Structure formats: structure tokens, C-alpha cells
Amino acid sequence: MNIILLGPPGAGKGTQAKLLVDERGMTQLSTGDMLREAKSSGTEMGHRVAEVMNRGELVTDEIVIGLIEEKLDAPHGNGFIFDGFPRTLAQADALGALLARHGQHLDAVIEMQVDDAALVERVTGRYTCANCGAVYHDRIKPAATAGVCDACGATQMVRRADDTEDALKQRLMEYYKKTSPLIGYYYAKGALYSVDGLAEIGIVSAAIRKVLDKT
Ligand code: AP5
């Protein structure tokens, strides 16, 4: 089964993707994580990507489609969870073509609906484990022992350079201009399902499970 988690920055895509990986043995493909890896590589491309991401703008279609294309060849267990990809109509078309070339198709696109005010709180309070990527929040989901990852025990937590209110405004602008048209695109293809992303993490996860079980 291949699915897309679609939603604005801070909607909970990464949080839900990690739960699905654990529950269903699916493979998470987060273009944000791949780009952050490129950013920390110290290469010329990494520097260019860092500037764009820190401003809250989208990286070029060519770069992200190339990243996804490389991953589709790798073994993928029980299917892919596309997290943060596609983000433009060109990326959506490219994903359809790439999956078809691999003899695969998309089973569901899950739109996570969250209002903008909640996104500001979620994004500015987020921190992640530098070792395993587990996602936390200062107020909503703090680590059980401050500074220690519940999942792997590592003691280095990091905050993203683009998790500021200013960068978030730009990220939201990009979302509404370039990514939200995908809601209509996938609705027209009969693949769209919407869940209330404002609910508690466990409730969102149950709603997603319900969609996947009937797909
Ligand atoms: P990316 O890393 O994809 O960021 P994003 O889409 O902005 O999404 P986030 O990772 O911020 O949020 P999320 O929805 O995963 O939420 P999370 O689960 O962490 O992209 C970053 C940048 O890379 C882009 O701006 C762009 O520059 C570039 N990029 C990436 N992909 C690209 C592409 N395809 N094309 C071009 N450029 C691309 O949750 C957030 C917080 O809320 C956490 O603290 C969490 O604990 C909490 N939380 C989660 N769920 C809930 C809940 N139900 N209730 C309360 N709190 C919750």
C-alpha cells in the first residue's frame, strides 16, 4: 500500500508517518528529512538547499523528484508513506509516473486538516531526537525525562532552523499557493480522504487506520 500524508507544516505528518512505520512496517519517505540530510552534508548543493529551506520556501521540483526517484528502487516493506511529497502539481504528476514505472500505484491520500493558529503553537514548540528523529513538543508531547529520547535513550535534542514564526508564515504561504491545489487534484482522482488533524495524536492515528483498513 502506498499513501501520501498531505497537510500544512506542523499538521502532524511526520508524527503519524512514524506510527504507521511501527504499526504496519511501511517505509517513510520524508523529503524534508532527505533535504535536511543534504543540508548537513556541507556540499555546495547542501548550502543552496539550506538557504531555501531556512527562508521557508520550496526547493526545486527537479531536486525533490530526483531524491524520491532514488528511493523508489530500494526495498520498501509494506509500501511507502510519502510525507511532505508531493508539494506541487508537477511533483504529483511525477510521482504518478514514477509509481507506474515501478508497477505500483497510490492507494490513498490522507489530508490532515489543522487550522493555522494551532500550527504556530505546534511548530514553535517542536523538538526532535538528533539520533532517531522521534518528534516531541514542549507542552503537548514532552519527552518523559527532559532531554532524553523516550524511543532510543539518546540525549541530544534539536530544533529546526525553519521552526520560527517568521519562517512558518512563509511556509504556510507556500502551502496555500502551491500545495493545497493537490487536494482538488487527488479528490478528482478519487484518492482523497480527510481527517481532523486537530484531534489528539491517538485519535488522528485511529482515523487514519480506519481509512487504510477500508482502502
Ligand atoms: P518538511 O520537513 O516536510 O516540513 P513541513 O511539511 O513544513 O512539515 P513539518 O515537518 O513541519 O510538520 P509535520 O506535519 O511533519 O508535523 P509533526 O508531525 O512534526 O519540509 C521542510 C522544508 O523542506 C520545506 O519548507 C521546504 O523548504 C523543503 N521541502 C520538503 N519537501 C519538499 C518538497 N516536496 N518540495 C519542495 N520543497 C520541499 O508535528 C509538529 C508538532 O506538533 C510536533 O511537535 C508534534 O509533537 C506535534 N503534534 C503532532 N500531531 C499532533 C496532534 N494531533 N495534536 C497536537 N500536537 C501534535
Side-chain angles (χ1 to χ4, degrees), residues 11 16 18 20 25 74 80 85 88 98 105 108 202 207 211:
Q16 295 299 330
K18 287 185 172 52
L20 287 169
F80 292 111
F85 179 90
T88 63
L98 283 172
H105 65 278
V211 170

Side-chain angles (χ1 to χ4, degrees), residues 7-16 30-33 35-36 49 52-54 56-61 64 83-88 91 112 122-123 125-127 135-138 140-141 160 162-163 171 197-202 204:
K13 304 180 294 293
T15 299
Q16 295 299 330
S30 157
T31 39
D33 287 348
L35 290 165
R36 276 183 286 281
V49 163
V52 175
M53 287 176 81
N54 292 351
E57 293 168 7
L58 292 190
V59 173
T60 63
D61 288 338
V64 287
D83 161 11
F85 179 90
R87 259 176 152 97
T88 63
Q91 291 178 23
M112 303 177 64
R122 284 189 186 183
V123 163
R126 169 174 46 195
Y127 60 98
V135 186
Y136 298 96
H137 188 278
D138 291 325
I140 307 161
K141 191 178 175 268
R160 278 168 44 177
D162 60 346
D163 274 353
R171 286 160 65 192
L198 267 179
E200 283 172 21
I201 293 172
V204 179

Side-chain angles (χ1 to χ4, degrees), residues 142-158:
T145 304
V148 181
C149 178
D150 297 351
C152 73
T155 52
Q156 198 193 350
M157 299 290 187
V158 286

Side-chain angles (χ1 to χ4, degrees), residues 50-136:
E51 279 174 19
V52 175
M53 287 176 81
N54 292 351
R55 284 198 303 267
E57 293 168 7
L58 292 190
V59 173
T60 63
D61 288 338
E62 194 190 356
I63 291 179
V64 287
I65 291 167
L67 289 172
I68 288 288
E69 192 168 8
E70 276 176 25
K71 302 282 179 183
L72 289 188
D73 289 328
H76 55 272
N78 291 331
F80 292 111
I81 306 161
F82 296 98
D83 161 11
F85 179 90
R87 259 176 152 97
T88 63
L89 291 168
Q91 291 178 23
D93 283 340
L95 177 61
L98 283 172
L99 286 173
R101 206 184 305 154
H102 285 77
Q104 297 195 44
H105 65 278
L106 204 54
D107 294 282
V109 176
I110 299 177
E111 181 209 1
M112 303 177 64
Q113 299 177 327
V114 182
D115 65 45
D116 293 355
L119 297 176
V120 177
E121 201 216 344
R122 284 189 186 183
V123 163
T124 53
R126 169 174 46 195
Y127 60 98
T128 56
C129 170
N131 181 49
C132 73
V135 186
Y136 298 96

Side-chain angles (χ1 to χ4, degrees), residues 17-48:
K18 287 185 172 52
L19 291 172
L20 287 169
V21 168
D22 293 344
E23 279 173 24
R24 297 184 178 239
M26 296 175 78
T27 299
Q28 176 187 10
L29 291 185
S30 157
T31 39
D33 287 348
M34 293 174 209
L35 290 165
R36 276 183 286 281
E37 235 173 72
K39 230 172 116 168
S40 53
S41 66
T43 59
E44 176 55 34
M45 194 267 237
H47 287 305
R48 283 204 312 271

